[in-house]
Amino acid sequence: MAFDPVLYDDIIAAFTIDTEHLHQAAAAFRQDMRLGLTGSPDSSLRMLPSYLGLPTGEERGDYLALDFGGTNVRVLLYRLAGNGKYEMLSHVAKPLKVDGVYDFIGAEATGEEMFDFIAGLVDEVVGGDHETPYLLGHTFSFPSSQTNINNARLIIWTKEFAARGVEGEVVNDLLRAALVRQGLSNVTPNSVINDTVAVLLSAAYIYGDTKIGAIYATGHNTCYLESYTGTANAPMILNMESGGFSKLVPNRFDIALDAASEKKGEQRLEKMVSGRYMGELFGMALAELLGTKEHMHAFTSVDISRILEDVNGDAQSAASIVETATGQMLSAEDAVCVRELARTIVVRSVRLIAATFVGTLWQITGEGEIRPQHIAVDGSVYEKMPLVKETMADVFAELLGEDAPKVDTILASCGSGLGAALAAAMVESG
Ligand code: GLC
């Protein structure tokens, strides 16, 4: 191998987590949940109340849904038919940023411009109808504090969003004002939920037996139904903002990535695991191997997917993706090492996320026995990245032993949209 073998082994070791450390991660996560529930400032989990429990499965009617949480914004019109049934009547999706054309995400943009763009999408979905009253559920996938179901205030942008005039604001006030400017006073936003909450609502509506919802995509986060056993509180879904979990030991790449990010010190778990960052970690580690540390090589998690999809002996995809990004031609032997690096970064990501699921299961279960259940997950990394589902199941076997078969992860695709429509229906029926 042309790479320094000692350095290579050292990098692989930096991204490897053994069973003992994984167990510790799950236990530390559960401990942070407990601290967060008591409101302790020592918890890195926000444990944000959603003001919603689970749907009954009988929600019915037509509702608008806004799914706002990544580069793509979607507005959808759903018809809920009860018994876990639904139909999507119409939808539009547009990116908030098109390179060289417009950008509603960066620090140059204002919240007003961003929400005017979104109100335009709502207008498209209702076909210019400015008369028929509609209720709209809003999936807003950023950390927000709420004192009721409709007044989410953005605490801090994540996922490298930076538009001005939104942090600290009540997002549905901004949305409502933009809808009015668009002539859409007939559209009433009545609820705001996190995307993890939307995923949990949609899976609970369709499949039942689900108490944990997560996103594994550009960002990463998990919510769960807190039963508040033994207290007078009614069960409520809590958005943990688990991407902010900070009780893991970062390696040197995690530290460097954080230092170069928009929000230093925030979202430490997310920066180790999510799709927005895995390609960057890979690029940094590769630069060390190639001895080109001064250059930042740009890779995405889609590149990583493509590298892992190629299972041939000479890892040709790894070689060609690396050549495109860095101009360097790798030998077949080095390409195989690079593929192994990609695999190690992805496996670490899945193992850490699965450990947080186990910590959450322990918290839900308390002293009792784990009940058979699904963990609902949505997001492109969960859906498309090789190795994710089997690695997740391996971790359950590793940490849960004989209880592992009781738990599985299921894909709740489009949960962010459907969940918003369900929230709007749940709020209407009170
Ligand atoms: C980020 C956001 C969080 C969201 C997650 C997935 O972590 O802070 O609210 O749920 O991304 O989109």
Side-chain angles (χ1 to χ4, degrees):
M1 132 166 105
F3 297 145
D4 174 348
V6 176
L7 177 62
Y8 175 74
D9 288 348
D10 176 63
I11 292 174
I12 295 293
F15 283 106
T16 302
I17 302 175
D18 62 20
T19 304
E20 189 189 331
H21 285 96
L22 205 62
H23 202 279
Q24 284 169 9
F29 191 83
R30 183 190 183 183
Q31 177 59 12
D32 240 25
M33 289 177 75
R34 283 175 163 169
L35 282 175
L37 286 171
T38 65
S40 163
D42 295 336
S43 174
S44 62
L45 298 174
R46 294 184 189 270
M47 310 301 275
L48 302 167
S50 70
Y51 297 91
L52 282 182
L54 297 181
T56 61
E58 289 305 318
E59 288 70 16
R60 289 166 207 276
D62 292 355
Y63 298 93
L64 282 168
L66 162 61
D67 177 14
F68 173 12
T71 314
N72 260 312
V73 176
R74 299 184 311 150
V75 180
L76 314 97
L77 179 60
Y78 277 100
R79 175 159 298 165
L80 305 177
N83 295 318
K85 302 272 182 298
Y86 66 95
E87 195 187 334
M88 195 175 71
L89 302 178
S90 64
H91 85 290
V92 295
K94 285 203 181 138
L96 282 170
K97 173 179 173 176
V98 175
D99 284 337
V101 184
Y102 63 81
D103 179 357
F104 297 116
I105 292 178
E108 294 300 299
T110 67
E112 207 170 281
E113 289 162 355
M114 182 182 235
F115 280 99
D116 278 341
F117 179 76
I118 291 171
L121 302 185
V122 177
D123 214 354
E124 275 188 51
V125 166
V126 299
D129 175 356
H130 291 190
E131 302 295 329
T132 312
Y134 288 102
L135 290 176
L136 177 145
H138 179 182
T139 297
F140 182 68
S141 317
F142 300 93
S144 309
S145 64
Q146 298 184 235
T147 49
N148 64 44
I149 179 67
N150 199 26
N151 74 347
R153 196 179 284 280
L154 174 61
I155 300 170
I156 183 172
W157 279 129
T158 51
K159 298 177 277 195
E160 311 298 305
F161 271 59
R164 286 171 292 128
V166 191
E167 282 178 335
E169 299 299 319
V170 172
V171 289
N172 265 5
D173 287 352
L174 301 179
L175 173 63
R176 177 82 189 176
L179 289 168
V180 169
R181 283 195 293 276
Q182 185 77 24
L184 285 166
S185 307
N186 54 322
V187 175
T188 307
N190 74 346
S191 48
V192 186
I193 55 174
N194 186 254
D195 50 356
T196 56
V197 177
V199 162
L200 175 52
L201 294 181
S202 69
Y205 179 72
I206 300 171
Y207 306 106
D209 291 334
T210 314
K211 289 185 175 163
I212 300 174
I215 297 284
Y216 191 2
T218 307
H220 165 63
N221 184 16
T222 302
C223 73
Y224 75 108
L225 183 74
E226 172 56 52
S227 61
Y228 291 111
T229 314
T231 72
N233 297 356
M236 189 190 282
I237 302 171
L238 301 183
N239 164 16
M240 292 193 274
E241 286 295 327
S242 60
F245 182 57
S246 69
K247 306 290 168 75
L248 300 168
V249 182
N251 66 28
R252 62 183 182 278
F253 305 103
D254 300 318
I255 292 169
L257 183 147
D258 177 58
S261 66
E262 279 279 351
K263 298 276 194 247
K264 297 175 202 21
E266 304 284 341
Q267 302 299 99
R268 297 307 298 266
L269 174 64
E270 185 163 75
K271 289 172 188 164
M272 296 166 90
V273 301
S274 83
R276 174 65 182 73
Y277 301 103
M278 268 193 280
E280 277 182 36
L281 288 171
F282 173 77
M284 290 161 74
L286 184 70
E288 268 200 14
L289 277 175
L290 295 172
T292 54
K293 249 170 123 173
E294 62 290 354
H295 299 297
M296 182 65 201
H297 301 309
F299 293 94
T300 63
S301 53
V302 174
D303 294 328
I304 298 205
S305 244
R306 281 178 47 216
I307 290 174
L308 295 180
E309 273 156 19
D310 171 7
V311 292
N312 295 321
D314 60 359
Q316 188 48 49
S317 294
S320 79
I321 288 168
V322 169
E323 194 190 339
T324 309
T326 69
Q328 297 210 30
M329 297 257 282
L330 299 180
S331 65
E333 194 188 357
D334 284 352
V336 169
C337 289
V338 166
R339 179 170 61 193
E340 179 59 19
L341 172 65
R343 194 192 72 84
T344 309
I345 290 173
V346 169
V347 167
R348 180 183 77 152
S349 160
V350 185
R351 284 172 74 74
L352 288 176
I353 289 178
T356 70
F357 289 165
V358 169
T360 310
L361 283 167
W362 286 339
Q363 173 62 20
I364 290 177
T365 309
E367 299 307 308
E369 257 198 34
I370 291 187
R371 295 171 57 111
Q373 62 189 291
H374 311 296
I375 296 175
V377 191
D378 192 12
S380 49
V381 180
Y382 179 73
E383 193 174 353
K384 299 191 185 131
M385 182 71 81
L387 302 172
V388 169
K389 296 177 189 73
E390 55 270 43
T391 307
M392 201 71 81
D394 289 348
V395 173
F396 292 156
E398 234 169 297
L399 298 187
L400 295 175
E402 61 186 23
D403 282 333
K406 295 183 185 165
V407 182
D408 65 357
T409 55
I410 52 170
L411 175 68
S413 63
C414 308
S416 302
L418 177 61
L422 284 163
M426 288 165 74
V427 169
E428 192 189 19
S429 65

